[in-house]
Amino acid sequence: MKKIIIITFLITIGFANYLQAQFTQVELFSGFDKTDFTLFSSYTINEGKTLSINTLAFFQKFKDEENQGFDEIGVQPTLFWNINKNIAIGPSLYYNSFAGYSERLSAKFTLKISRVLFVIIPTVAHSEQTDASYAEAFVQFQFNKSLSDKVSLWLNGQFLTIWDEFKTHSRSYQQLRIGVSLNRHQFGIGMDFDQYGPKPIEKSSFGVYYRKTL
């Protein structure tokens, strides 16, 4: 099963690169407790740019053997209909090594003002593994400030929470990054906070990250 998951993950990365996505971002985070690799791509598929495909793929591996049960891989392509520059809606198919496959419907609200980006994505979904519905909310923010022509300061945050049957906590995380960008290479320090299950098991990791927008 792990080999199938890894192959799917690599195919997704190759698929995104083959289509020459208009926006592709990769991030590697490595801390004392775990390592994360995340890829996100977005590209339009029609001339009017009203339809776009967003692809998210990630891999999380804990270093201590006792925590390796929390190792996680996810792959999610989403087809968005861009109603306007701030609002989009669309379906997706998501695979997660914990929760299996699920069909999802998401709305995306984007606010970009100068050097601030704020994104909210609420989702309703149906899990094939549990044959039940669940709700998810994802929030992302970015802030950058130029220090010179080639150097800028960056603050990034991502927050996720998932509730099975809309009432029981399943999974949450908070990811914080602060760093500098030099010639479009971004690096700095970060903190990850993870919560699992209805009575949340909490994990945290401090480390360094590298992010590149292609």
Coordinates of all heavy atoms in Angstrom, one line a residue, residues 114-192:
S114 N -2.5 44.3 -1.6 CA -1.1 44.7 -1.5 C -0.3 43.5 -1.3 O -0.3 42.5 -2.1 CB -0.9 45.8 -0.5 OG 0.5 46.2 -0.5
R115 N 0.4 43.4 -0.1 CA 1.3 42.3 0.2 C 0.6 41.3 1.1 O 1.4 40.5 1.7 CB 2.6 42.8 0.8 CG 3.3 43.8 -0.2 CD 4.6 44.2 0.4 NE 5.3 45.1 -0.6 CZ 6.1 44.6 -1.6 NH1 6.2 43.3 -1.7 NH2 6.7 45.4 -2.4
V116 N -0.7 41.3 1.3 CA -1.4 40.3 2.1 C -2.3 39.4 1.3 O -3.0 39.9 0.5 CB -2.2 41.1 3.2 CG1 -3.0 40.1 4.1 CG2 -1.3 42.0 4.1
L117 N -2.2 38.1 1.6 CA -3.1 37.2 0.9 C -3.8 36.4 2.0 O -3.2 35.9 3.0 CB -2.3 36.2 0.1 CG -3.1 35.0 -0.5 CD1 -4.1 35.5 -1.6 CD2 -2.1 34.0 -1.2
F118 N -5.1 36.3 1.9 CA -6.0 35.6 2.8 C -6.9 34.7 2.1 O -7.7 35.1 1.2 CB -6.7 36.6 3.7 CG -7.4 36.0 4.9 CD1 -6.7 35.5 6.0 CD2 -8.8 35.9 4.9 CE1 -7.3 34.9 7.1 CE2 -9.4 35.4 6.0 CZ -8.7 34.9 7.1
V119 N -6.9 33.4 2.4 CA -7.7 32.4 1.7 C -8.5 31.5 2.7 O -7.9 31.1 3.7 CB -6.9 31.4 0.8 CG1 -7.8 30.4 0.1 CG2 -6.1 32.2 -0.2
I120 N -9.8 31.4 2.5 CA -10.7 30.5 3.3 C -11.3 29.5 2.4 O -11.9 29.8 1.4 CB -11.7 31.3 4.1 CG1 -11.1 32.3 5.0 CG2 -12.6 30.3 4.9 CD1 -12.1 33.2 5.7
I121 N -11.2 28.2 2.7 CA -11.8 27.1 1.9 C -12.7 26.2 2.8 O -12.1 25.3 3.5 CB -10.8 26.3 1.2 CG1 -9.9 27.2 0.3 CG2 -11.5 25.2 0.3 CD1 -8.8 26.4 -0.4
P122 N -14.0 26.4 2.9 CA -14.9 25.5 3.6 C -15.2 24.4 2.7 O -15.4 24.6 1.5 CB -16.1 26.4 4.0 CG -16.1 27.4 2.9 CD -14.7 27.7 2.5
T123 N -15.4 23.2 3.2 CA -15.6 22.0 2.4 C -16.6 21.0 3.1 O -16.6 20.9 4.3 CB -14.3 21.2 2.2 OG1 -13.4 22.0 1.5 CG2 -14.5 19.9 1.4
V124 N -17.5 20.4 2.3 CA -18.3 19.3 2.8 C -17.9 18.1 2.0 O -17.6 18.2 0.8 CB -19.8 19.6 2.7 CG1 -20.3 20.7 3.6 CG2 -20.2 20.0 1.2
A125 N -17.9 16.9 2.6 CA -17.3 15.8 1.9 C -18.0 14.5 2.4 O -18.7 14.5 3.4 CB -15.8 15.7 2.2
H126 N -17.8 13.5 1.6 CA -18.3 12.1 1.9 C -17.1 11.1 1.9 O -16.4 11.1 0.9 CB -19.4 11.7 1.0 CG -19.9 10.3 1.2 ND1 -19.4 9.2 0.6 CD2 -20.9 9.8 2.1 CE1 -20.0 8.1 1.0 NE2 -20.9 8.5 1.9
S127 N -16.9 10.4 3.0 CA -15.8 9.5 3.1 C -16.3 8.1 2.6 O -17.3 7.6 3.1 CB -15.3 9.4 4.5 OG -14.4 8.3 4.7
E128 N -15.5 7.5 1.7 CA -15.8 6.1 1.2 C -15.5 5.1 2.3 O -16.1 4.1 2.4 CB -15.0 5.8 0.0 CG -15.4 6.6 -1.3 CD -16.8 6.2 -1.7 OE1 -17.2 5.1 -1.5 OE2 -17.5 7.1 -2.3
Q129 N -14.5 5.4 3.1 CA -14.1 4.5 4.2 C -15.1 4.3 5.3 O -15.4 3.2 5.7 CB -12.7 4.9 4.8 CG -12.1 4.0 5.8 CD -10.8 4.5 6.3 OE1 -10.7 5.3 7.1 NE2 -9.7 3.9 5.7
T130 N -15.7 5.4 5.7 CA -16.7 5.4 6.8 C -18.1 5.5 6.3 O -19.0 5.3 7.1 CB -16.4 6.5 7.8 OG1 -16.6 7.8 7.1 CG2 -15.0 6.5 8.4
D131 N -18.3 5.8 5.0 CA -19.6 6.0 4.5 C -20.4 7.1 5.3 O -21.6 6.9 5.6 CB -20.4 4.7 4.4 CG -21.7 4.8 3.6 OD1 -21.7 5.7 2.6 OD2 -22.7 4.1 3.8
A132 N -19.7 8.1 5.6 CA -20.3 9.2 6.4 C -19.8 10.6 5.8 O -18.7 10.6 5.2 CB -19.9 9.1 7.9
S133 N -20.5 11.6 6.2 CA -20.1 12.9 5.7 C -19.2 13.6 6.8 O -19.2 13.2 8.0 CB -21.3 13.8 5.5 OG -22.1 13.3 4.5
Y134 N -18.5 14.6 6.4 CA -17.7 15.4 7.3 C -17.5 16.8 6.8 O -17.8 17.1 5.6 CB -16.3 14.7 7.6 CG -15.4 14.6 6.4 CD1 -14.5 15.7 6.1 CD2 -15.4 13.5 5.6 CE1 -13.6 15.6 5.1 CE2 -14.5 13.4 4.5 CZ -13.6 14.4 4.3 OH -12.7 14.3 3.2
A135 N -17.1 17.7 7.7 CA -16.9 19.1 7.3 C -15.4 19.5 7.6 O -14.8 18.9 8.5 CB -17.8 20.0 8.2
E136 N -15.0 20.4 6.7 CA -13.6 20.8 6.8 C -13.5 22.3 6.6 O -14.2 22.8 5.8 CB -12.7 20.0 5.8 CG -11.3 20.5 5.7 CD -10.5 19.7 4.6 OE1 -10.5 18.5 4.6 OE2 -9.9 20.4 3.8
A137 N -12.5 22.9 7.3 CA -12.3 24.3 7.0 C -10.8 24.5 7.0 O -10.0 24.1 7.8 CB -12.9 25.2 8.1
F138 N -10.3 25.2 5.9 CA -8.9 25.5 5.7 C -8.7 27.0 5.6 O -9.5 27.6 4.9 CB -8.4 24.8 4.5 CG -7.0 25.1 4.1 CD1 -5.9 24.5 4.7 CD2 -6.7 26.1 3.1 CE1 -4.6 24.8 4.4 CE2 -5.4 26.4 2.8 CZ -4.4 25.7 3.4
V139 N -7.7 27.5 6.3 CA -7.4 29.0 6.2 C -5.9 29.1 5.9 O -5.1 28.4 6.5 CB -7.8 29.7 7.5 CG1 -7.4 31.1 7.5 CG2 -9.3 29.5 7.8
Q140 N -5.6 30.0 5.0 CA -4.2 30.3 4.7 C -4.0 31.8 4.7 O -4.9 32.6 4.2 CB -3.9 29.8 3.4 CG -2.4 30.0 2.9 CD -2.1 29.6 1.5 OE1 -2.8 30.0 0.6 NE2 -1.1 28.8 1.3
F141 N -2.9 32.3 5.2 CA -2.6 33.7 5.1 C -1.1 33.9 4.8 O -0.3 33.0 5.2 CB -3.0 34.5 6.3 CG -2.0 34.4 7.5 CD1 -0.9 35.2 7.6 CD2 -2.2 33.5 8.5 CE1 0.0 35.1 8.6 CE2 -1.4 33.4 9.6 CZ -0.2 34.2 9.6
Q142 N -0.8 34.9 4.0 CA 0.6 35.2 3.7 C 0.8 36.8 3.8 O -0.1 37.5 3.4 CB 1.0 34.8 2.3 CG 1.0 33.3 2.1 CD 1.4 32.9 0.7 OE1 1.7 33.8 -0.2 NE2 1.6 31.6 0.4
F143 N 1.9 37.1 4.4 CA 2.3 38.6 4.4 C 3.7 38.7 4.0 O 4.6 37.9 4.5 CB 2.1 39.1 5.8 CG 2.7 40.5 6.0 CD1 2.0 41.6 5.5 CD2 3.9 40.7 6.7 CE1 2.6 42.9 5.7 CE2 4.4 41.9 6.8 CZ 3.8 43.0 6.3
N144 N 4.0 39.6 3.2 CA 5.4 39.9 2.8 C 5.8 41.4 2.8 O 4.9 42.2 2.5 CB 5.8 39.2 1.5 CG 5.2 39.9 0.3 OD1 5.7 40.8 -0.3 ND2 4.0 39.4 -0.1
K145 N 7.0 41.7 3.1 CA 7.4 43.1 3.2 C 8.8 43.1 2.6 O 9.7 42.4 3.0 CB 7.5 43.6 4.6 CG 8.0 45.0 4.7 CD 8.0 45.5 6.2 CE 8.5 46.9 6.3 NZ 7.8 47.9 5.5
S146 N 9.0 44.0 1.6 CA 10.2 44.1 0.9 C 11.3 44.8 1.8 O 11.0 45.8 2.4 CB 10.1 45.0 -0.4 OG 9.3 44.3 -1.3
L147 N 12.5 44.2 1.8 CA 13.6 44.8 2.5 C 14.6 45.5 1.6 O 15.3 46.4 2.0 CB 14.3 43.8 3.4 CG 13.4 43.1 4.4 CD1 14.2 42.0 5.2 CD2 12.8 44.1 5.4
S148 N 14.6 45.0 0.3 CA 15.4 45.5 -0.7 C 14.8 45.0 -2.0 O 13.8 44.4 -2.1 CB 16.9 45.1 -0.5 OG 17.0 43.7 -0.8
D149 N 15.6 45.3 -3.1 CA 15.1 44.9 -4.4 C 15.0 43.3 -4.5 O 14.1 42.8 -5.3 CB 16.0 45.4 -5.5 CG 15.9 46.9 -5.7 OD1 14.8 47.5 -5.2 OD2 16.8 47.5 -6.3
K150 N 15.9 42.6 -3.8 CA 15.9 41.2 -4.0 C 15.5 40.4 -2.7 O 15.3 39.2 -2.7 CB 17.3 40.7 -4.4 CG 17.8 41.2 -5.7 CD 19.1 40.7 -6.1 CE 19.6 41.2 -7.5 NZ 20.9 40.6 -7.9
V151 N 15.4 41.1 -1.6 CA 15.1 40.5 -0.3 C 13.8 40.9 0.3 O 13.5 42.1 0.3 CB 16.3 40.8 0.7 CG1 16.0 40.1 2.0 CG2 17.6 40.3 0.1
S152 N 13.0 40.0 0.8 CA 11.7 40.4 1.4 C 11.5 39.4 2.6 O 12.0 38.3 2.7 CB 10.6 40.3 0.4 OG 10.5 39.0 -0.1
L153 N 10.7 40.0 3.6 CA 10.4 39.2 4.8 C 9.0 38.6 4.6 O 8.1 39.2 4.1 CB 10.3 40.2 6.0 CG 9.9 39.6 7.3 CD1 10.9 38.6 7.8 CD2 9.6 40.7 8.3
W154 N 8.9 37.3 5.0 CA 7.6 36.6 4.8 C 7.1 36.0 6.1 O 7.9 35.5 6.9 CB 7.8 35.4 3.8 CG 7.9 35.9 2.3 CD1 8.9 36.5 1.7 CD2 6.8 35.8 1.4 NE1 8.6 36.8 0.4 CE2 7.3 36.4 0.2 CE3 5.5 35.4 1.4 CZ2 6.5 36.5 -1.0 CZ3 4.7 35.4 0.3 CH2 5.2 36.0 -0.9
L155 N 5.8 36.0 6.2 CA 5.1 35.4 7.3 C 3.9 34.6 6.7 O 3.1 35.1 6.0 CB 4.5 36.4 8.3 CG 3.7 35.8 9.5 CD1 4.6 35.0 10.4 CD2 3.1 37.0 10.3
N156 N 3.9 33.3 6.9 CA 3.0 32.4 6.4 C 2.3 31.5 7.5 O 2.9 31.2 8.4 CB 3.6 31.4 5.4 CG 4.5 32.0 4.3 OD1 4.0 32.8 3.5 ND2 5.8 31.8 4.4
G157 N 1.0 31.3 7.3 CA 0.3 30.4 8.2 C -0.8 29.6 7.5 O -1.4 30.1 6.5
Q158 N -0.9 28.3 7.9 CA -2.0 27.5 7.4 C -2.7 26.8 8.5 O -2.0 26.3 9.5 CB -1.4 26.4 6.4 CG -0.8 27.0 5.1 CD -0.5 26.0 4.1 OE1 -0.5 26.3 2.9 NE2 -0.1 24.8 4.5
F159 N -4.0 26.7 8.5 CA -4.8 26.1 9.6 C -5.9 25.2 9.0 O -6.6 25.6 8.0 CB -5.4 27.3 10.4 CG -4.5 28.3 10.8 CD1 -4.3 29.5 10.0 CD2 -3.7 28.2 12.0 CE1 -3.4 30.4 10.4 CE2 -2.8 29.2 12.3 CZ -2.6 30.3 11.5
L160 N -6.0 24.1 9.6 CA -7.0 23.1 9.1 C -7.7 22.5 10.3 O -7.1 22.2 11.3 CB -6.3 22.0 8.3 CG -7.2 20.8 7.8 CD1 -8.0 21.2 6.6 CD2 -6.4 19.6 7.6
T161 N -9.0 22.2 10.1 CA -9.8 21.5 11.1 C -10.8 20.6 10.3 O -11.5 21.1 9.4 CB -10.5 22.4 12.1 OG1 -11.1 21.6 13.1 CG2 -11.5 23.3 11.5
I162 N -11.0 19.4 10.8 CA -11.9 18.4 10.2 C -12.8 17.8 11.3 O -12.3 17.4 12.3 CB -11.2 17.3 9.4 CG1 -10.2 17.9 8.4 CG2 -12.1 16.3 8.8 CD1 -9.3 16.8 7.7
W163 N -14.1 17.8 11.0 CA -15.1 17.3 11.9 C -16.0 16.2 11.3 O -16.7 16.5 10.3 CB -16.0 18.4 12.4 CG -15.2 19.4 13.3 CD1 -14.3 20.3 12.8 CD2 -15.1 19.4 14.7 NE1 -13.7 21.0 13.9 CE2 -14.2 20.4 15.1 CE3 -15.8 18.7 15.7 CZ2 -13.9 20.8 16.4 CZ3 -15.5 19.0 17.0 CH2 -14.6 20.1 17.4
D164 N -15.8 14.9 11.8 CA -16.6 13.8 11.3 C -18.1 14.0 11.6 O -18.4 14.4 12.8 CB -16.1 12.5 11.8 CG -14.8 12.1 11.3 OD1 -14.4 12.6 10.2 OD2 -14.1 11.3 12.0
E165 N -19.0 13.8 10.6 CA -20.4 13.9 10.8 C -20.8 15.3 11.3 O -21.8 15.4 12.0 CB -21.0 12.8 11.7 CG -20.7 11.4 11.1 CD -21.3 10.3 11.9 OE1 -21.6 10.5 13.1 OE2 -21.5 9.2 11.4
F166 N -19.9 16.3 11.1 CA -20.1 17.7 11.5 C -20.1 17.9 13.0 O -20.5 19.0 13.4 CB -21.4 18.2 10.9 CG -21.5 18.0 9.4 CD1 -22.2 16.9 8.8 CD2 -20.9 19.0 8.5 CE1 -22.2 16.8 7.4 CE2 -21.0 18.8 7.1 CZ -21.7 17.7 6.6
K167 N -19.7 16.9 13.8 CA -19.8 17.1 15.2 C -18.6 16.5 16.0 O -18.4 16.9 17.2 CB -21.1 16.4 15.7 CG -21.2 14.9 15.5 CD -22.5 14.4 16.0 CE -22.6 12.9 15.7 NZ -23.9 12.4 16.2
T168 N -17.8 15.6 15.4 CA -16.7 14.9 16.2 C -15.4 15.3 15.5 O -15.2 15.1 14.3 CB -16.9 13.4 16.1 OG1 -18.2 13.1 16.6 CG2 -15.8 12.7 17.0
H169 N -14.5 15.8 16.4 CA -13.2 16.3 15.8 C -12.4 15.1 15.3 O -12.4 14.0 16.0 CB -12.4 16.9 16.9 CG -11.0 17.4 16.5 ND1 -9.9 16.5 16.6 CD2 -10.6 18.5 15.9 CE1 -8.8 17.2 16.1 NE2 -9.2 18.3 15.7
S170 N -11.8 15.2 14.1 CA -11.0 14.2 13.5 C -9.5 14.5 13.4 O -8.7 13.8 13.7 CB -11.6 13.8 12.2 OG -10.8 12.9 11.5
R171 N -9.3 15.7 12.8 CA -7.9 16.1 12.5 C -7.8 17.6 12.4 O -8.7 18.3 11.9 CB -7.5 15.5 11.2 CG -6.2 15.9 10.6 CD -5.1 15.2 11.3 NE -3.8 15.3 10.6 CZ -2.8 16.2 10.8 NH1 -3.0 17.1 11.8 NH2 -1.7 16.2 10.1
S172 N -6.8 18.2 13.0 CA -6.5 19.6 12.8 C -5.0 19.8 12.8 O -4.2 19.0 13.2 CB -7.1 20.4 14.0 OG -8.5 20.4 14.1
Y173 N -4.6 21.0 12.2 CA -3.2 21.4 12.3 C -3.1 22.9 12.2 O -4.0 23.5 11.7 CB -2.3 20.7 11.3 CG -2.5 21.0 9.9 CD1 -2.3 22.3 9.3 CD2 -3.0 20.0 9.0 CE1 -2.5 22.5 8.0 CE2 -3.2 20.3 7.6 CZ -2.9 21.5 7.2 OH -3.1 21.8 5.8
Q174 N -2.0 23.4 12.7 CA -1.6 24.8 12.6 C -0.2 24.8 12.2 O 0.7 24.3 12.9 CB -1.8 25.6 13.9 CG -3.3 25.5 14.4 CD -3.5 24.3 15.2 OE1 -2.7 23.8 16.0 NE2 -4.7 23.7 15.0
Q175 N 0.1 25.5 11.1 CA 1.5 25.6 10.6 C 1.9 27.0 10.4 O 1.2 27.8 9.7 CB 1.6 24.9 9.2 CG 1.3 23.4 9.3 CD 1.3 22.7 7.9 OE1 1.3 23.4 6.9 NE2 1.3 21.4 7.9
L176 N 3.0 27.4 11.1 CA 3.5 28.8 11.0 C 4.9 28.8 10.5 O 5.7 28.0 10.9 CB 3.4 29.4 12.5 CG 2.1 29.4 13.2 CD1 2.2 29.9 14.6 CD2 1.1 30.3 12.4
R177 N 5.1 29.8 9.6 CA 6.4 30.0 9.0 C 6.8 31.5 9.0 O 6.0 32.3 8.7 CB 6.4 29.5 7.6 CG 5.9 28.1 7.4 CD 6.9 27.0 7.7 NE 6.4 25.7 7.4 CZ 5.8 24.9 8.2 NH1 5.6 25.2 9.4 NH2 5.4 23.7 7.8
I178 N 8.1 31.8 9.3 CA 8.6 33.1 9.2 C 10.0 33.0 8.6 O 10.8 32.2 9.0 CB 8.6 33.9 10.5 CG1 9.1 35.3 10.3 CG2 9.4 33.2 11.6 CD1 8.9 36.2 11.5
G179 N 10.2 33.8 7.5 CA 11.5 33.7 6.9 C 11.8 34.8 5.9 O 11.0 35.8 5.9
V180 N 12.8 34.7 5.1 CA 13.1 35.7 4.1 C 13.1 35.0 2.8 O 13.4 33.8 2.6 CB 14.5 36.3 4.4 CG1 14.4 37.1 5.7 CG2 15.6 35.3 4.5
S181 N 12.9 35.9 1.7 CA 13.0 35.4 0.4 C 14.1 36.2 -0.3 O 14.2 37.4 -0.3 CB 11.6 35.7 -0.4 OG 11.7 35.3 -1.7
L182 N 15.0 35.4 -0.9 CA 16.1 35.9 -1.6 C 16.2 35.4 -3.0 O 16.3 34.1 -3.2 CB 17.4 35.6 -0.9 CG 18.8 36.0 -1.6 CD1 18.8 37.5 -1.7 CD2 19.9 35.4 -0.8
N183 N 16.0 36.2 -4.0 CA 15.9 35.8 -5.4 C 14.9 34.7 -5.6 O 15.2 33.7 -6.3 CB 17.3 35.3 -5.9 CG 18.3 36.5 -6.0 OD1 17.9 37.6 -6.3 ND2 19.5 36.2 -5.8
R184 N 13.7 34.8 -5.0 CA 12.6 33.9 -5.1 C 12.8 32.6 -4.4 O 12.1 31.6 -4.6 CB 12.2 33.7 -6.6 CG 12.0 35.0 -7.3 CD 11.4 34.8 -8.7 NE 10.0 34.3 -8.6 CZ 9.3 34.1 -9.7 NH1 9.8 34.3 -10.9 NH2 8.0 33.7 -9.6
H185 N 13.9 32.5 -3.6 CA 14.1 31.3 -2.7 C 13.7 31.7 -1.3 O 14.3 32.7 -0.8 CB 15.5 30.8 -2.8 CG 15.9 30.3 -4.1 ND1 15.7 29.0 -4.5 CD2 16.5 30.9 -5.2 CE1 16.2 28.8 -5.8 NE2 16.7 30.0 -6.2
Q186 N 12.8 31.1 -0.7 CA 12.3 31.5 0.6 C 12.8 30.4 1.7 O 12.6 29.2 1.4 CB 10.8 31.6 0.6 CG 10.2 32.2 1.9 CD 8.7 32.2 1.9 OE1 8.1 32.1 3.0 NE2 8.1 32.4 0.8
F187 N 13.3 30.9 2.8 CA 13.7 29.9 3.8 C 13.6 30.6 5.2 O 13.7 31.9 5.3 CB 15.2 29.5 3.6 CG 16.1 30.6 3.3 CD1 16.8 31.2 4.3 CD2 16.4 31.0 2.0 CE1 17.7 32.2 4.1 CE2 17.3 32.1 1.8 CZ 18.0 32.6 2.8
G188 N 13.5 29.8 6.2 CA 13.4 30.4 7.6 C 13.0 29.3 8.6 O 13.4 28.1 8.4
I189 N 12.3 29.7 9.6 CA 12.0 28.7 10.7 C 10.5 28.5 10.7 O 9.7 29.4 10.2 CB 12.5 29.2 12.1 CG1 11.9 30.6 12.4 CG2 14.0 29.3 12.1 CD1 12.2 31.1 13.8
G190 N 10.0 27.4 11.3 CA 8.6 27.2 11.4 C 8.2 26.3 12.6 O 9.1 25.7 13.2
M191 N 6.9 26.3 12.9 CA 6.4 25.4 13.9 C 5.1 24.7 13.3 O 4.3 25.4 12.7 CB 5.9 26.3 15.1 CG 7.1 26.7 16.0 SD 7.8 25.3 16.9 CE 6.5 24.8 18.0
D192 N 5.0 23.4 13.6 CA 3.8 22.6 13.2 C 3.2 22.1 14.5 O 3.9 21.6 15.4 CB 4.2 21.5 12.4 CG 4.4 21.8 10.9 OD1 4.4 23.0 10.6 OD2 4.4 20.9 10.1

